[in-house]
Amino acid sequence: MVAVTLGPEGTYSHRAATAVANGDEIDFRQSVTAIVDAVAGGEYDRGVIPIENSIEGSVTESLDALSEYDVAVVREVVTPIKHALLAQSDEFDTVASHSQALAQCRSYLEREHPDATVEAVASTAQGVEFARGDASIAGIGHPDNGGDGLEVLAEDIQDQDSNATRFFALAPAEERSKGGGKSSLVVYPNANYPGLLLELLEPFADRDINMTRVESRPSGQRLGDYVFHIDIEAGLYEARTKEAIEDLEGLTEKGWVRRLGSYDTEHVVG
């Protein structure tokens, strides 16, 4: 089984993908959209994308890609985020990392390195590689990325000790499963009227289905038009879930409901 995730090697996405690939080959792409497109097209067996961070919230590119492409979510991997500051020495003037990593360490950087320039790059691993090649740059990444000329100047620099990220393991649409403790849906009502959101939530509340996440994203069709991403604690195989989705489809006759699939959650430590 070949998996694809955000590169280069050493990203947190790579660490999550290692659990999914289980020793098999892992390839890399530079964007979430490219990963989802490759899985939807059958180029890869699995794709691993970040979906939500406990501090910075949802990864909007991932949500938008799941709206655009027909793929299945087959696993959820939750991994702790342990940020370290890595540089050739403490004589640096720029900190380069992924925008979410920079945001997750904002308080530390403002307190300990207030004069440093903050630069957002494509991934935490890319920032680390910049630091490895330039003594004026520090990177933020997992402490295991130290060595080979890089010192770990500080560990656990994230603002919250509980920092963790959810990743979705994606598969081609035909591998979608109805069995699992959680399910994800994408709903496009193609409508806008008072009480719409309440109507979309009621089918789940009426059946005691816990909704763990509800989030809206612009549809791209017109201003004020939204796609809703919904996570629930129930499997698609359950009668109550089937009934709730049937009600949902009745409310979205002008739009659509996409079942991303049911899955279980795996916690990866380290």
Side-chain angles (χ1 to χ4, degrees):
M1 181 184 72
V2 183
V4 60
T5 193
L6 287 171
E9 185 174 347
T11 61
Y12 286 98
S13 293
H14 181 209
R15 299 179 71 85
T18 300
V20 173
N22 195 27
D24 290 330
E25 183 179 349
I26 298 173
D27 287 346
F28 301 101
R29 291 290 185 272
Q30 294 305 309
S31 74
V32 167
T33 303
I35 294 168
V36 180
D37 177 70
V39 174
E43 186 178 351
Y44 288 94
D45 303 304
R46 294 290 184 270
V48 178
I49 63 171
I51 197 73
E52 182 183 16
N53 176 262
S54 59
I55 297 175
E56 288 301 301
S58 295
V59 180
T60 55
E61 185 186 1
S62 297
L63 299 183
D64 294 343
L66 292 175
S67 298
E68 183 178 354
Y69 293 92
D70 187 16
V71 292
V73 177
V74 294
R75 287 171 69 183
E76 177 183 77
V77 176
V78 178
T79 182
I81 303 300
K82 298 180 179 179
H83 287 315
L85 187 69
L86 305 110
Q88 295 182 32
S89 72
D90 57 6
E91 299 296 324
F92 61 86
D93 54 34
T94 299
V95 179
S97 194
H98 189 274
S99 58
Q100 282 223 344
L102 293 170
Q104 291 160 19
C105 303
R106 184 182 296 113
S107 296
Y108 169 83
L109 294 175
E110 291 176 351
R111 182 179 67 252
E112 300 295 333
H113 301 283
D115 297 327
T117 299
V118 174
E119 180 181 345
V121 295
S123 67
T124 54
Q126 186 178 75
V128 169
E129 287 308 303
F130 286 164
R132 188 167 275 119
D134 188 336
S136 70
I137 297 175
I140 293 175
H142 195 280
D144 285 355
N145 288 315
D148 192 21
L150 279 188
E151 297 181 27
V152 179
L153 301 182
E155 293 192 47
D156 292 325
I157 65 173
Q158 62 275 0
D159 295 340
Q160 301 290 335
D161 291 338
S162 59
N163 191 7
T165 295
R166 299 170 61 215
F167 294 86
F168 276 169
L170 308 179
E174 59 268 20
E175 293 189 40
R176 185 174 292 118
S177 173
K178 296 182 180 180
K182 294 180 67 176
S183 300
S184 290
L185 309 168
V186 185
V187 181
Y188 177 49
N190 195 17
N192 186 16
Y193 55 83
L196 171 61
L197 180 57
L198 177 61
E199 290 185 1
L200 296 178
L201 303 182
E202 282 181 334
F204 301 101
D206 290 345
R207 294 170 176 84
D208 293 323
I209 297 175
N210 187 35
M211 305 178 76
T212 57
R213 184 172 63 95
V214 180
E215 188 155 353
S216 62
R217 288 288 299 155
S219 69
Q221 302 299 314
R222 56 189 177 273
L223 192 63
D225 192 49
Y226 294 96
V227 174
F228 294 91
H229 293 261
I230 299 174
D231 292 345
I232 58 174
E233 287 185 330
L236 292 175
Y237 70 93
E238 297 183 46
R240 59 176 182 160
T241 308
K242 295 177 182 177
E243 293 170 0
I245 294 176
E246 286 175 3
D247 287 356
L248 203 60
E249 289 174 326
L251 295 168
T252 58
E253 292 180 349
K254 296 180 180 180
W256 44 263
V257 176
R258 177 175 297 156
R259 301 159 175 82
L260 293 177
S262 296
Y263 50 86
D264 290 317
T265 301
E266 175 184 350
H267 291 267
V268 177
V269 178

